[in-house]
Amino acid sequence: MDEKSIKELVDQYLHISFSIERCGGSLIKGQLAEDLTNDQHYMLRYMNKVEVCTSTELAEVFDVKKSAITAIINRLWKKGLIQRSRDENDRRVVYLTLTNVGKELFDETERRIYELVGSFVKQFEQTEIEAFMRTYEKLNQMIIASKEAKVGE
Amino acid sequence: MDEKSIKELVDQYLHISFSIERCGGSLIKGQLAEDLTNDQHYMLRYMNKVEVCTSTELAEVFDVKKSAITAIINRLWKKGLIQRSRDENDRRVVYLTLTNVGKELFDETERRIYELVGSFVKQFEQTEIEAFMRTYEKLNQMIIASKEAKVGE
DNA sequence: TTTAATAGTTCACTAGTTTAACTATTTATG
DNA sequence: CATAAATAGTTAAACTAGTGAACTATTAAA
């Protein structure tokens, strides 16, 4: 691959990923309950998957400082979507879980998001989309590895 | 494609795109001048491409309200990276352009970003990445069309 | 010539983020 | 054991980014 086509690919990639982040994000937002942001939804999504987690874990997964997690968790807590409970053996630790209201809200939203994203996925041939996902995941692994190398420096 | 594999694809897609947005964003941020954010960089990027633009145009392209553009433009203006000039025929209109300092900063940054993204691109076979980009662009067009359909409702 | 529309700004408010200082608790060390 | 160091989480100040509504100035339309 010559330099010129790499430059073109880079240009094209940055343009598409930016566009999808913006427009796709706004479509996802359209599926959420009125007063929920995309960030808050992704937080619920992670908590729904792992069932129980801590602030420290969320800070690592979302790659932000713990104080940012405290803020977003407070907002979700005020909405009654999550609950906190202290570990009785190590009283520094606070476990975070979805409330029943939180679970129901997430499930409901998730169904709408599946429909939305599914409506795009269905427009592709299965072989095409599977090849796409393989490359996409490879890229993801490269980025993660590069990030970890940077941290290790 | 059955329902189950669509659900899995949706799950997988959401997970990867979220991860790449987070980690990739943080790698890009690492290439920027100290006091520049990713949003500010994308703004410079667009202005560098089109050379001259207006707030209204930026609001459409970035899909935010004009007041958000005023705020970000003010920040870039304070850093001396962009300049404003009124249209003499229609004095409501303000044209925005990069200053020389802004252009140099962007070029410098862009070179670093090309190196970074290029280092990933180079790890793929050309055929693989070209197929990926075709699918990625198709997805982008679907999302844009879906967004415009929503607006038209 | 009033009335509409357009371009952009300002202001108050909210979300998300970082940094630094802090509390409470647990673990290590001398 | 007692003090020091590490860990989990919170708080507060400062910043960026976004929305919505009210506003100014200017141009276009009735």
Side-chain angles (χ1 to χ4, degrees), chain B residues 5-116:
Chain B
S5 51
I6 288 179
K7 189 168 175 352
E8 274 166 19
L9 281 171
V10 170
D11 257 337
Q12 202 188 348
Y13 177 77
L14 290 175
H15 178 262
I16 298 176
S17 64
F18 182 76
S19 170
I20 289 184
E21 186 182 323
R22 285 277 166 167
C23 298
S26 132
L27 283 178
I28 297 275
K29 177 91 175 71
Q31 308 305 313
L32 303 183
E34 211 177 284
D35 63 344
L36 217 58
T37 66
N38 278 351
D39 283 325
Q40 289 167 7
H41 167 73
Y42 280 122
M43 199 63 74
L44 294 184
R45 170 167 253 272
Y46 182 80
M47 294 177 64
N48 182 70
K49 194 179 72 182
V50 298
E51 293 191 8
V52 186
C53 64
T54 64
S55 284
T56 302
E57 177 184 345
L58 290 174
E60 276 165 18
V61 170
F62 288 83
D63 196 27
V64 295
K65 303 296 173 197
K66 285 192 290 185
S67 54
I69 299 297
T70 300
I72 199 167
I73 287 300
N74 277 336
R75 281 176 217 118
L76 292 171
W77 180 81
K78 274 179 200 153
K79 296 186 212 283
L81 303 177
I82 63 166
Q83 53 202 161
R84 294 185 231 232
S85 63
R86 284 212 174 267
D87 183 325
E88 282 307 313
N89 295 332
D90 185 345
R91 294 190 50 73
R92 291 170 303 183
V93 177
V94 176
Y95 292 121
L96 303 167
T97 49
L98 295 186
T99 60
N100 287 333
V101 175
K103 275 197 203 79
E104 278 162 27
L105 184 82
F106 177 77
D107 287 342
E108 163 75 28
T109 304
E110 200 57 354
R111 229 178 306 125
R112 286 209 293 271
I113 290 179
Y114 278 139
E115 265 182 50
L116 174 73

Side-chain angles (χ1 to χ4, degrees), chain B residues 117-153:
Chain B
V117 182
S119 77
F120 299 129
V121 167
K122 279 176 192 153
Q123 293 180 58
F124 292 97
E125 288 296 320
Q126 183 147 6
T127 52
E128 177 176 4
I129 198 144
E130 281 172 357
F132 173 82
M133 294 303 295
R134 274 193 300 276
T135 306
Y136 205 27
E137 173 60 15
K138 252 196 251 179
L139 175 63
N140 186 31
Q141 291 306 323
M142 283 179 196
I143 288 174
I144 290 171
S146 168
K147 184 108 194 302
E148 278 164 4
K150 287 257 151 49
V151 171
E153 266 168 16

